[in-house]
Amino acid sequence: MSAAALLIRSWRGVSGCWAPGAGIRRLSSIADPEIKVCVIGSGPAGFYTAQHLLKHHKSTVVDIYEKLPIPFGLVRFGVAPDHPEVKNVINVFTQTAHLSRCSFYGNVTVGKDVSIEELKQAYHVLVLSYGAETNRILGIPGENLPGVYSGRAFVGWYNGLPENRNKTDITANSLEAIENSKVKRVIIVGRRGPLQVAFTIKELREMMKLPGTRSLLDPNDFEGLKHVVKDLPRPRKRLMELLIKTALENNSGKEAEFQAAATKEWSLRFRRSPLEIIPSNDGERVGGIRLSVTKLEGSAESAVAIQTEDVEDLECGLVLSSIGYKSHPIDPSVPFDQQQGVIPNKLGRVLHAPGMYCSGWVKRGPVGVIANTMNDGFETAESVLEDVQSGILDVSALKGGYKVIEALLKQRGICPVSFSGWEKIDSSEVTKGEKVGKPREKLLTVKEMLEVANQ
């Protein structure tokens, strides 16, 4: 295997924000009817939507369904192990789950164990917050060769996602694999240029401070950009200033010594678009990648990459495609835009589906960080509350809620995991982690999780 890895990145910015607190509804009176709400998906979008509903309507009862036995979605499975501070939001979600009007039911797959139609009969409101669980594909020859993986699968592997466990809190097996890795050189490829990068200055600084690792930036990529930087928004300006300084200014002193002593390196390769994964000589796995040199049309973040006739071949033994996640349709009865990979909606109201709402990535696409998802969840919750108050959403009929669904699941041999069951799993993981000096040692199979939850 070549001691080089390639990461294909899409330079896409994040935009759009909803002001939290805008249009907050009054707290309901004691005479208001009980509203039974079903939230599908227990990631940040689901919990933030539930939190807002419970806070601003005291007759709301929320049941959160999750296909895994454990909650929190990408907070658990998508945040890098060396960023534990980001996971502190779990404490807020736990407070919500402990409320008497909120229940968690894990190990229940909507669309398989219970249908959307059955949930509609049992609840006044359905909120679809199941995120983006599939990968966008490159759509090029050789993409299925061994040694080509999606960024989602790679992250799931080191974070202990059950479906990717054999590839955390980094898991012990992935930590051992990374420590013994032969990868010495990583090339990060993007279709566009420096002005369109999607990473943050914090992420860049962390990369530059990796022990024993040098950063290589081509000065030609940054020539002539200094005059553009002064007019950029402050976060983008600071990021570009750091990139330009690193690329154009000669290192000296301790920094030069650090660079010279490095045994590994990473670099950014701009204006390149993948054309083909090249197999190794024996044809058994990836041996390289063929890239099209692109040119940009337009300016700043709106610039579009256009392929030219120039090509470039890079040797590598591992290819990671980090071009985004994609949502999937959960049920034929739920409207879905296949091209955009989202549920068509207006402020979270699913179009042509009264009583059905959506939040998070399945609502707006797989962009943004947890703060964006919080605002998004609040916006959807506000739409629900507005519809209740205006009478657009009829909540006068009595609904059975989980009691109805519980009977169906029992008939089908499905054993849901409660939040207290999750807390048994949590306690077990933390105890195992303490023995090896880690925050937790994750359980890696659904079977293990269920055994602990049912003790």
Side-chain angles (χ1 to χ4, degrees):
M1 173 180 172
S2 169
L6 189 91
L7 176 62
I8 299 171
R9 215 24 224 275
S10 62
W11 304 143
R12 292 190 297 177
V14 176
S15 62
C17 185
W18 179 77
I24 295 294
R25 304 269 68 76
R26 61 177 176 83
L27 286 172
S28 61
S29 70
I30 194 68
D32 281 347
E34 185 177 76
I35 304 173
K36 295 287 181 66
V37 178
C38 166
V39 174
I40 302 169
S42 67
F47 265 104
Y48 277 127
T49 306
Q51 173 190 323
H52 199 80
L53 288 171
L54 292 164
K55 180 178 180 181
H56 295 287
H57 195 291
K58 62 183 180 182
S59 295
T60 295
V61 175
V62 178
D63 293 336
I64 302 175
Y65 291 84
E66 167 61 50
K67 72 173 186 176
L68 289 174
I70 52 182
F72 310 135
L74 284 182
V75 179
R76 177 178 169 103
F77 294 119
V79 175
D82 58 346
H83 290 73
E85 72 283 354
V86 179
K87 300 186 181 186
N88 289 336
V89 71
I90 285 176
N91 298 328
V92 177
F93 299 158
T94 297
Q95 291 175 10
T96 298
H98 282 163
L99 295 174
S100 60
R101 293 180 288 122
C102 184
S103 299
F104 169 80
Y105 300 105
N107 194 43
V108 178
T109 302
V110 174
K112 178 185 174 184
D113 300 331
V114 62
S115 71
I116 288 289
E117 186 58 38
E118 288 167 335
L119 291 170
K120 286 170 65 177
Q121 294 299 318
Y123 292 90
H124 297 104
V125 175
L126 263 63
V127 181
L128 302 157
S129 304
Y130 59 86
E133 298 181 337
T134 57
N135 308 304
R136 294 188 181 276
I137 62 171
L138 294 170
I140 60 176
E143 189 170 7
N144 295 322
L145 281 170
V148 181
Y149 302 97
S150 69
R152 177 182 177 274
F154 183 65
V155 173
W157 166 66
Y158 66 61
N159 267 329
L161 184 62
E163 66 187 74
N164 301 128
R165 64 187 181 275
N166 294 321
K167 308 255 170 151
T168 191
D169 50 300
I170 190 170
T171 60
N173 62 329
S174 53
L175 178 60
E176 181 182 0
I178 290 172
E179 286 180 336
N180 295 326
S181 169
K182 297 178 181 179
V183 174
K184 302 295 183 184
R185 181 168 59 101
V186 174
I187 306 167
I188 305 174
V189 173
R191 293 176 294 111
R192 299 191 290 171
L195 291 174
Q196 293 81 36
V197 296
F199 52 75
T200 66
I201 191 169
K202 182 176 184 290
E203 291 168 332
L204 178 61
R205 283 176 174 154
E206 288 177 342
M207 289 286 287
M208 289 178 168
K209 292 179 180 178
L210 287 173
T213 307
R214 71 172 66 89
S215 54
L216 298 178
L217 302 180
D218 186 348
N220 293 324
D221 289 327
F222 299 90
E223 291 290 352
L225 293 184
K226 284 187 176 181
H227 73 283
V228 178
V229 171
K230 58 183 176 61
D231 297 323
L232 295 175
R234 188 170 183 272
R236 174 70 59 172
K237 179 181 178 181
R238 291 173 60 231
L239 172 60
M240 288 305 303
E241 286 174 342
L242 179 56
L243 281 168
I244 292 171
K245 179 180 179 181
T246 304
L248 299 182
E249 296 183 8
N250 293 326
N251 293 318
S252 60
K254 290 184 178 180
E255 180 62 24
E257 294 177 8
F258 174 84
Q259 294 277 345
T263 59
K264 301 178 181 180
E265 65 183 44
W266 66 271
S267 61
L268 296 172
R269 192 70 58 94
F270 295 106
R271 290 181 287 274
R272 300 292 189 273
S273 181
L275 291 174
E276 178 185 0
I277 307 294
I278 302 171
S280 56
N281 291 333
D282 59 10
E284 294 297 318
R285 58 175 300 109
V286 59
I289 186 168
R290 179 159 296 151
L291 304 169
S292 166
V293 179
T294 66
K295 63 179 181 179
L296 299 184
E297 293 185 356
S299 59
E301 293 187 24
S302 62
V304 176
I306 306 297
Q307 291 186 1
T308 69
E309 294 182 356
D310 295 332
V311 298
E312 175 181 271
D313 289 350
L314 293 178
E315 180 185 354
C316 59
L318 174 66
V319 174
L320 301 175
S321 62
S322 181
I323 57 173
Y325 294 15
K326 186 178 181 181
S327 297
H328 66 273
I330 194 170
D331 187 274
S333 67
V334 180
F336 193 80
D337 185 329
Q338 292 284 359
Q339 185 173 0
Q340 299 296 322
V342 297
I343 294 174
N345 71 93
K346 184 176 181 180
L347 300 179
R349 299 176 177 92
V350 178
L351 300 184
H352 314 300
M356 197 173 293
Y357 301 79
C358 58
S359 66
W361 283 4
V362 75
K363 169 186 172 183
R364 70 180 193 277
V367 294
V369 293
I370 290 178
N372 303 92
T373 301
M374 177 185 70
N375 294 330
D376 181 88
F378 290 175
E379 179 186 73
T380 294
E382 276 297 297
S383 293
V384 175
L385 296 174
E386 287 172 1
D387 291 352
V388 170
Q389 190 175 48
S390 68
I392 292 175
L393 182 62
D394 183 8
V395 295
S396 60
L398 293 176
K399 295 283 187 173
Y402 180 67
K403 287 184 178 180
V404 173
I405 304 303
E406 181 182 28
L408 294 175
L409 295 176
K410 188 174 181 179
Q411 290 173 9
R412 295 162 188 172
I414 307 299
C415 299
V417 174
S418 66
F419 200 79
S420 61
W422 146 247
E423 289 179 321
K424 291 179 182 179
I425 296 171
D426 180 44
S427 177
S428 173
E429 292 182 342
V430 171
T431 299
K432 289 183 177 181
E434 288 173 349
K435 295 178 181 178
V436 291
K438 295 167 58 180
R440 70 174 63 238
E441 188 65 60
K442 290 178 179 175
L443 300 180
L444 299 181
T445 69
V446 170
K447 181 182 178 181
E448 290 176 301
M449 295 173 187
L450 294 178
E451 287 175 351
V452 173
N454 294 324
Q455 287 178 354

